[in-house]
Amino acid sequence: MPLLKQGQLTDDHWVRVEDDADIADEVAAVVSLERWQADADLLKRRNAPVGVALANDQSPDEIADDLDAIGTVFLTFPVYTDGRAFSQARLLRQRYGYKGEIRATGNVLRDQYAFMQRCGFDAFEIADGSDLAGWGRSAQAVSHHYQTAADGVKAVWEKRHGQQAEI
């Protein structure tokens, strides 16, 4: 699948590794939460980066103490009606202060792109043949927000309140 970052298609250097598979030393590997929990000490000593894939029913609490050793977190949208990955991303960014890559995988839809960015996603596995210009338009579709979010953009009420304070 193509990888979208900062509005551009980019090469994906991360390789998903099955729980029972060996990991080459030079590979940027993404492992399951279960593998991370079983082999974290070994994985932290690797020379190449390690990522963790969380299923949508797994809590970011499970990796919170290890986030400084994790280069990316893959969060899955199994179907478009399941938005638990939005909450996982916000927890990673806002509660735990995670600065690494948060990648949206699975059923990643263009009409949810701006909302995913607001929650803290910064990498998106999109469908083959996707209209890149359409993804760009989706990112700009909403110019004002009523809620605060992990992206740091001020909500409308914050802007209004700030303007009143300047008068």
Side-chain angles (χ1 to χ4, degrees), residues 1-4 10 12 103-108 124-128:
M1 294 199 134
L3 181 63
L4 182 64
T10 187
D12 184 3
R103 182 179 299 192
T105 67
N107 194 2
V108 179
F124 309 85
E125 290 181 0
I126 62 174
D128 290 324

Side-chain angles (χ1 to χ4, degrees), residues 22-42:
D22 291 333
I23 304 173
D25 288 335
E26 68 281 354
V27 171
V30 178
V31 299
S32 69
L33 173 62
E34 293 79 13
R35 177 127 186 214
W36 177 260
Q37 290 172 329
D39 298 336
D41 290 337
L42 290 171

